């Protein structure tokens, strides 16, 4: 009887214990699936936000290539136009026009003699003659961390006459993503093509 009682108790308890263990494992797996789904949704939401910023910046820079004062490089008029666009679009640190030598010709903010000839977005726009994205920079005209986009200004024969630039403030991402609710102890970040942490 002493040997049989523990065996009977174990047999009686085993189904309940198995159900309890299965329930615990299932709850854990469900929590992991939910966390994975929420993370994927957040990443997709961030990617969609970045795509919208890129698309709207591209449209704005493309539209600027059609403005007569920009085409004719009327620099005082360009300065005024860029200032007004920046005022209406506070996500940008600056909007500029640079020559093919990289020298800043017009800017939404006051500037001293500055060359951007070494910047990726300027070189790419000149070489590819197309809209280009840059990489993390500290703006030389505003001293703010930014992510730049550029669009070449082409003449009637398709030759590059200059480069239009708009740089997005990195702190703008904090404003966009601050409403995102994450579990305690979690975080999100944005890195550029080289793995540098942008935000």
């Amino acid at each position: 009887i002493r040997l049989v009682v523990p065996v009977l108790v174990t047999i009686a308890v085993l189904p309940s214990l198995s159900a309890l263990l299965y329930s615990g494992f299932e709850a854990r797996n469900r929590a992991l699936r939910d966390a994975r789904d929420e993370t994927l949704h957040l990443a997709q939401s961030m990617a969609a936000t970045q795509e919208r910023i890129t698309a709207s910046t591209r449209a704005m820079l493309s539209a600027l290539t059609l403005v007569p004062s920009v085409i004719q490089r009327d620099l005082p008029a360009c300065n005024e136009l860029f200032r007004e666009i920046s005022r209406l679009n506070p996500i940008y640190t600056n909007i500029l026009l640079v020559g093919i030598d990289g020298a800043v010709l017009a800017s939404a903010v006051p500037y001293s003699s500055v060359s951007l000839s070494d910047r990726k977005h300027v070189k790419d726009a000149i070489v590819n003659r197309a809209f280009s994205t840059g990489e993390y920079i500290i703006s030389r005209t505003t001293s703010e961390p930014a992510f730049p986009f550029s669009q070449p200004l082409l003449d009637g024969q398709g030759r590059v006459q200059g480069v239009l630039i708009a740089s997005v403030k990195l702190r703008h991402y904090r404003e966009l993503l601050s409403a995102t609710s994450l579990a305690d102890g979690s975080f999100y970040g944005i890195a550029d093509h080289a793995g540098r942490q942008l935000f």
Side-chain angles (χ1 to χ4, degrees):
I1 290 178
R2 266 189 231 139
L3 295 173
V4 172
V5 168
V7 171
L8 291 175
V9 169
T10 302
I11 291 172
V13 171
L14 197 57
S16 300
L17 187 59
S18 297
L20 198 60
L21 286 172
Y22 176 78
S23 175
F25 281 127
E26 189 55 35
R28 178 181 176 277
N29 288 339
R30 189 169 46 252
L32 286 172
R33 278 194 308 272
D34 290 348
R36 185 183 63 239
D37 291 346
E38 285 178 35
T39 302
L40 180 61
H41 176 71
L42 177 60
Q44 289 171 336
S45 174
M46 290 172 148
T49 298
Q50 179 59 29
E51 286 172 5
R52 281 193 302 275
I53 290 170
T54 302
S56 63
T57 302
R58 183 178 195 161
M60 185 260 297
L61 291 175
S62 293
L64 284 175
T65 66
L66 305 174
V67 175
S69 59
V70 175
I71 294 169
Q72 295 157 7
R73 294 203 281 183
D74 177 347
L75 302 183
C78 287
N79 286 332
E80 183 57 39
L81 175 62
F82 298 166
R83 266 194 298 276
E84 184 62 15
I85 292 170
S86 283
R87 187 184 68 75
L88 296 171
N89 298 278
I91 71 166
Y92 300 114
T93 61
N94 199 1
I95 298 170
L96 330 116
L97 172 63
V98 302
I100 56 172
D101 61 352
V104 175
L105 303 175
S107 172
V109 300
Y111 63 96
S112 55
S113 180
V114 176
S115 175
L116 304 179
S117 61
D118 61 324
R119 298 290 203 188
K120 176 186 180 299
H121 56 284
V122 173
K123 291 191 275 190
D124 287 354
I126 292 171
V127 170
N128 301 324
R129 296 185 309 157
F131 176 79
S132 300
T133 59
E135 55 195 357
Y136 169 80
I137 60 167
I138 299 293
S139 171
R140 290 185 183 144
T141 55
T142 65
S143 300
E144 284 190 71
F147 189 85
F149 299 90
S150 60
Q151 177 77 35
L153 183 62
L154 306 175
D155 66 11
Q157 285 73 46
R159 293 179 301 229
V160 178
Q161 299 301 300
V163 178
L164 287 159
I165 301 166
S167 297
V168 176
K169 297 175 184 174
L170 289 184
R171 64 188 162 116
H172 177 65
Y173 290 103
R174 179 181 295 116
E175 296 159 11
L176 283 175
L177 302 171
S178 60
T180 305
S181 59
L182 296 174
D184 290 343
S186 40
F187 66 93
Y188 52 82
I190 300 173
D192 71 5
H193 69 97
R196 284 181 292 255
Q197 184 175 320
L198 302 181
F199 176 78

